[in-house]
Protein backbone atom coordinates (compact mmCIF):
# COMPACT_ATOMS: atom_id res chain seq x y z
CA UNK A 1 0.00 0.00 0.00
CA UNK A 2 1.33 3.42 -0.97
CA UNK A 3 0.35 6.76 0.55
CA UNK A 4 1.18 10.13 -0.99
CA UNK A 5 0.81 13.31 1.07
CA UNK A 6 -0.31 16.56 -0.56
CA UNK A 7 -0.09 19.95 1.11
CA UNK A 8 -2.97 22.29 0.36
CA UNK A 9 -1.75 25.58 -1.11
CA UNK A 10 -5.14 27.31 -0.92
CA UNK A 11 -6.90 26.19 2.26
CA UNK A 12 -5.06 28.24 4.88
CA UNK A 13 -5.76 25.49 7.46
CA UNK A 14 -9.42 25.33 6.41
CA UNK A 15 -11.12 22.15 5.14
CA UNK A 16 -10.35 21.06 1.60
CA UNK A 17 -12.69 22.16 -1.18
CA UNK A 18 -12.83 20.95 -4.76
CA UNK A 19 -10.49 23.06 -6.88
CA UNK A 20 -7.87 23.70 -4.22
CA UNK A 21 -4.28 23.50 -5.48
CA UNK A 22 -2.27 20.62 -4.00
CA UNK A 23 1.47 19.95 -3.88
CA UNK A 24 2.84 16.44 -3.33
CA UNK A 25 5.53 16.50 -0.64
CA UNK A 26 6.22 12.88 0.32
CA UNK A 27 5.14 9.29 -0.26
CA UNK A 28 5.70 5.97 1.50
CA UNK A 29 5.05 2.29 0.92
CA UNK A 30 3.47 0.77 4.01
CA UNK A 31 3.53 -2.92 4.87
CA UNK A 32 0.42 -3.09 7.01
CA UNK A 33 -2.44 -5.58 7.32
CA UNK A 34 -4.88 -2.71 7.91
CA UNK A 35 -6.16 -1.70 4.47
CA UNK A 36 -8.55 0.96 5.80
CA UNK A 37 -7.66 4.28 4.09
CA UNK A 38 -8.80 6.26 7.14
CA UNK A 39 -6.39 4.26 9.31
CA UNK A 40 -3.60 5.19 6.90
CA UNK A 41 -4.68 8.81 7.27
CA UNK A 42 -4.39 8.52 11.05
CA UNK A 43 -0.87 7.13 10.58
CA UNK A 44 0.04 10.09 8.35
CA UNK A 45 -1.32 12.66 10.80
CA UNK A 46 0.43 11.04 13.75
CA UNK A 47 3.82 10.53 12.10
CA UNK A 48 4.02 13.96 10.50
CA UNK A 49 2.88 15.79 13.63
CA UNK A 50 4.34 13.83 16.55
CA UNK A 51 7.59 14.87 18.20
CA UNK A 52 10.60 12.92 16.98
CA UNK A 53 11.51 12.28 20.62
CA UNK A 54 8.25 10.38 21.04
CA UNK A 55 8.59 8.40 17.81
CA UNK A 56 12.14 7.45 18.75
CA UNK A 57 10.90 5.68 21.88
CA UNK A 58 8.56 3.56 19.73
CA UNK A 59 11.11 2.34 17.18
CA UNK A 60 11.14 -1.19 18.58
CA UNK A 61 7.37 -1.55 18.13
CA UNK A 62 5.87 -3.05 14.95
CA UNK A 63 6.03 -0.32 12.31
CA UNK A 64 7.86 1.99 14.71
CA UNK A 65 11.09 2.12 12.74
CA UNK A 66 9.25 2.98 9.52
CA UNK A 67 7.35 5.75 11.27
CA UNK A 68 10.47 7.21 12.89
CA UNK A 69 12.53 7.23 9.69
CA UNK A 70 9.65 8.64 7.63
CA UNK A 71 9.22 11.46 10.16
CA UNK A 72 12.97 12.17 10.21
CA UNK A 73 13.11 12.51 6.41
CA UNK A 74 9.99 14.69 6.46
CA UNK A 75 11.52 17.05 9.03
CA UNK A 76 14.92 17.12 7.31
CA UNK A 77 13.19 18.23 4.10
CA UNK A 78 11.67 21.04 6.21
CA UNK A 79 8.05 20.22 5.47
CA UNK A 80 5.41 21.72 7.72
CA UNK A 81 3.09 19.54 9.78
CA UNK A 82 0.19 17.79 8.08
CA UNK A 83 -2.80 20.02 8.75
CA UNK A 84 -6.50 20.50 8.12
CA UNK A 85 -7.06 20.93 4.38
CA UNK A 86 -4.22 18.64 3.34
CA UNK A 87 -4.97 15.58 1.21
CA UNK A 88 -3.64 12.04 0.91
CA UNK A 89 -3.88 9.44 -1.85
CA UNK A 90 -3.92 5.84 -0.62
CA UNK A 91 -3.12 3.40 -3.41
CA UNK A 92 -4.02 -0.27 -3.05
CA UNK A 93 -3.76 -3.07 -5.58
CA UNK A 94 -7.19 -2.27 -6.99
CA UNK A 95 -7.86 1.45 -6.56
CA UNK A 96 -6.77 4.82 -5.21
CA UNK A 97 -8.61 6.40 -2.28
CA UNK A 98 -8.47 10.18 -1.81
CA UNK A 99 -9.05 11.65 1.64
CA UNK A 100 -8.93 15.20 3.02
CA UNK A 101 -7.87 16.09 6.55
CA UNK A 102 -10.78 17.68 8.42
CA UNK A 103 -10.82 19.11 11.97
CA UNK A 104 -12.13 15.79 13.30
CA UNK A 105 -10.77 13.06 11.05
CA UNK A 106 -10.42 12.17 7.38
CA UNK A 107 -13.11 12.74 4.74
CA UNK A 108 -13.29 10.76 1.48
CA UNK A 109 -13.20 13.06 -1.56
CA UNK A 110 -13.27 12.72 -5.33
CA UNK A 111 -9.90 12.57 -7.05
CA UNK A 112 -8.60 16.15 -7.44
CA UNK A 113 -8.13 17.25 -11.03
CA UNK A 114 -4.59 16.58 -12.32
CA UNK A 115 -4.31 20.26 -13.23
CA UNK A 116 -4.67 21.09 -9.52
CA UNK A 117 -1.83 18.78 -8.50
CA UNK A 118 1.89 19.48 -8.65
CA UNK A 119 5.11 18.61 -6.86
CA UNK A 120 6.71 15.21 -6.59
CA UNK A 121 6.55 12.52 -3.92
CA UNK A 122 9.66 11.45 -2.04
CA UNK A 123 12.42 10.69 -4.54
CA UNK A 124 16.20 10.57 -4.79
CA UNK A 125 16.15 13.57 -7.15
CA UNK A 126 14.13 15.61 -4.67
CA UNK A 127 16.54 14.81 -1.85
CA UNK A 128 19.57 15.72 -4.00
CA UNK A 129 17.93 19.02 -4.95
CA UNK A 130 17.27 19.79 -1.29
CA UNK A 131 20.87 18.99 -0.31
CA UNK A 132 22.14 21.26 -3.08
CA UNK A 133 20.10 24.19 -1.76
CA UNK A 134 21.58 23.73 1.73
CA UNK A 135 25.19 24.04 0.60
CA UNK A 136 26.75 27.47 1.22
CA UNK A 137 27.62 29.37 -1.93
CA UNK A 138 31.19 30.62 -2.13
CA UNK A 139 32.01 34.17 -3.18
CA UNK A 140 33.86 32.77 -6.20
CA UNK A 141 30.79 30.84 -7.32
CA UNK A 142 28.62 33.93 -6.88
CA UNK A 143 31.03 36.05 -8.90
CA UNK A 144 30.93 33.49 -11.70
CA UNK A 145 27.18 33.96 -12.17
CA UNK A 146 25.86 36.35 -14.82
CA UNK A 147 25.53 39.81 -13.35
CA UNK A 148 21.74 39.83 -13.67
CA UNK A 149 21.57 36.68 -11.50
CA UNK A 150 23.64 38.12 -8.67
CA UNK A 151 22.12 39.93 -5.72
CA UNK A 152 22.44 43.68 -5.94
CA UNK A 153 25.20 44.58 -3.44
CA UNK A 154 23.94 48.14 -3.08
CA UNK A 155 22.16 49.01 0.13
CA UNK A 156 20.22 51.97 1.36
CA UNK A 157 22.50 54.93 1.97
CA UNK A 158 21.44 55.10 5.61
CA UNK A 159 20.71 51.46 6.42
CA UNK A 160 22.20 48.03 5.81
CA UNK A 161 20.37 44.71 5.77
CA UNK A 162 21.21 41.28 7.14
CA UNK A 163 19.00 38.18 7.06
CA UNK A 164 18.89 36.28 10.36
CA UNK A 165 17.62 32.74 10.80
CA UNK A 166 16.04 32.32 14.23
CA UNK A 167 15.05 28.88 15.48
CA UNK A 168 12.90 28.79 18.59
CA UNK A 169 11.14 26.11 20.57
CA UNK A 170 7.91 27.36 22.13
CA UNK A 171 6.50 25.55 25.15
CA UNK A 172 2.71 25.78 25.42
CA UNK A 173 0.63 24.89 28.49
CA UNK A 174 -2.98 24.20 27.57
CA UNK A 175 -6.19 23.01 29.18
CA UNK A 176 -6.69 20.60 26.27
CA UNK A 177 -5.08 17.17 26.13
CA UNK A 178 -2.09 17.85 23.88
CA UNK A 179 -1.57 14.13 23.38
CA UNK A 180 -4.57 14.39 21.04
CA UNK A 181 -3.15 15.41 17.62
CA UNK A 182 -6.28 17.36 16.69
CA UNK A 183 -6.21 19.32 19.95
CA UNK A 184 -2.50 19.90 19.42
CA UNK A 185 -3.16 21.23 15.93
CA UNK A 186 -5.86 23.61 17.20
CA UNK A 187 -3.39 25.08 19.69
CA UNK A 188 -0.70 25.23 16.98
CA UNK A 189 -3.02 27.12 14.63
CA UNK A 190 -3.94 29.61 17.36
CA UNK A 191 -0.24 30.15 17.98
CA UNK A 192 0.48 30.62 14.26
CA UNK A 193 -2.31 33.20 14.07
CA UNK A 194 -0.38 35.30 16.59
CA UNK A 195 2.52 35.68 14.17
CA UNK A 196 2.37 39.00 12.40
CA UNK A 197 3.88 40.40 9.24
CA UNK A 198 3.89 43.89 10.76
CA UNK A 199 7.38 45.41 11.14
CA UNK A 200 9.03 44.97 14.52
CA UNK A 201 10.82 48.08 15.74
CA UNK A 202 14.06 47.35 17.59
CA UNK A 203 16.04 49.69 19.83
CA UNK A 204 19.73 48.79 20.13
CA UNK A 205 22.83 50.55 21.50
CA UNK A 206 23.88 51.01 17.85
CA UNK A 207 20.69 52.70 16.74
CA UNK A 208 17.16 51.81 15.68
CA UNK A 209 16.39 48.80 13.49
CA UNK A 210 13.29 47.41 11.80
CA UNK A 211 12.70 43.66 11.52
CA UNK A 212 10.19 41.85 9.32
CA UNK A 213 9.25 38.16 9.36
CA UNK A 214 9.76 37.03 5.77
CA UNK A 215 9.62 33.23 6.16
CA UNK A 216 8.14 30.97 8.82
CA UNK A 217 8.79 27.24 8.89
CA UNK A 218 6.89 25.60 11.72
CA UNK A 219 6.73 22.02 12.93
CA UNK A 220 4.14 21.14 15.53
Amino acid sequence: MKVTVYHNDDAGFRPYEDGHVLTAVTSHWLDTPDRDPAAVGDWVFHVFNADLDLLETQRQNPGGETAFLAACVYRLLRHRSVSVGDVIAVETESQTHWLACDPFGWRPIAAPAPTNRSGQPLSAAGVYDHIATQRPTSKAATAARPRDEQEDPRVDAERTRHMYTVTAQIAVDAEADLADPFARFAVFRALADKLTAAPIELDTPFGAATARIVLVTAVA
Side-chain angles (χ1 to χ4, degrees):
M1 176 182 293
K2 179 184 179 183
V3 58
T4 301
V5 179
Y6 292 83
H7 283 174
N8 193 322
D9 300 332
D10 291 338
F13 302 121
R14 295 184 299 274
Y16 168 83
E17 296 179 6
D18 187 35
H20 280 175
V21 176
L22 306 173
T23 300
V25 293
T26 194
S27 61
H28 295 280
W29 290 92
L30 302 178
D31 183 13
T32 172
D34 193 341
R35 317 301 282 182
D36 179 16
V40 176
D42 291 340
W43 180 90
V44 166
F45 195 92
H46 172 66
V47 170
F48 301 134
N49 278 280
D51 293 335
L52 292 180
D53 292 340
L54 172 63
L55 295 176
E56 185 177 22
T57 65
Q58 302 171 350
R59 294 177 69 179
Q60 73 279 8
N61 298 338
E65 183 73 351
T66 297
F68 177 69
L69 294 178
C72 285
V73 171
Y74 192 82
R75 301 295 198 280
L76 287 170
L77 292 176
R78 303 184 68 82
H79 293 315
R80 64 164 174 77
S81 301
V82 170
S83 307
V84 170
D86 291 338
V87 169
I88 61 172
V90 181
E91 301 176 41
T92 64
E93 295 83 354
S94 58
Q95 60 182 316
T96 299
H97 303 270
W98 291 87
L99 299 96
C101 184
D102 277 354
F104 301 101
W106 292 88
R107 167 172 51 96
I109 60 173
T115 54
N116 291 333
R117 289 181 259 152
S118 63
Q120 63 176 356
L122 183 63
S123 66
V127 172
Y128 289 142
D129 288 344
H130 176 77
I131 293 173
T133 64
Q134 305 306 303
R135 292 174 180 154
T137 303
S138 67
K139 292 183 178 179
T142 301
R145 297 178 188 166
R147 185 170 182 81
D148 60 355
E149 293 182 7
Q150 299 181 30
E151 293 185 7
D152 189 342
R154 294 171 297 177
V155 295
D156 186 278
E158 297 181 356
R159 286 195 165 191
T160 59
R161 172 173 291 180
H162 180 77
M163 298 295 290
Y164 294 90
T165 298
V166 179
T167 301
Q169 287 188 326
I170 302 176
V172 177
D173 296 314
E175 296 179 354
D177 179 9
L178 294 183
D180 180 347
F182 290 101
R184 188 164 63 246
F185 171 76
V187 173
F188 172 71
R189 179 177 178 181
L191 174 62
D193 287 342
K194 294 294 185 180
L195 298 177
T196 175
I200 304 171
E201 299 298 331
L202 308 176
D203 185 15
T204 79
F206 298 92
T210 302
R212 294 176 178 83
I213 299 175
V214 296
L215 174 66
V216 175
T217 300
V219 177

